[in-house]
Amino acid sequence: MLQYYLQRMLGSAEAMRLVAEKSGIPITTVPLESMKMAMTVIATGPIVLLYPFVQRYFVKGMTIGAVKG
């Protein structure tokens, strides 16, 4: 859901820039690369913040499911 919203926002910014460029309206440029980087941080933030709390469950699951031979 979050990734879809961020992709839609980026598409809207790109479309707005293209329409303004074709119509000749002077518009302040939206730094799309900076916007992409900010969206990347926003999308990975919850994962980075949640991982330390659930790390023990990942380790436990890996040791239980390990094949010993």
Side-chain angles (χ1 to χ4, degrees):
M1 195 74 181
L2 175 65
Q3 285 83 7
Y4 174 72
Y5 176 72
L6 294 174
Q7 179 64 30
R8 196 174 66 181
M9 188 186 328
L10 185 63
S12 296
E14 180 68 26
M16 183 175 59
R17 186 184 64 81
L18 287 173
V19 167
E21 185 178 286
K22 295 215 185 251
S23 64
I25 299 171
I27 181 173
T28 58
T29 59
V30 177
L32 291 177
E33 291 301 319
S34 298
M35 190 177 227
K36 287 180 187 178
M37 294 301 135
M39 288 181 184
T40 303
V41 170
I42 290 170
T44 59
I47 298 167
V48 170
L49 294 175
L50 186 66
Y51 182 75
F53 298 109
V54 296
Q55 179 181 10
R56 63 180 167 179
Y57 300 112
F58 287 131
V59 172
K60 186 187 282 186
M62 285 175 35
T63 57
I64 288 173
V67 177
K68 297 182 174 117

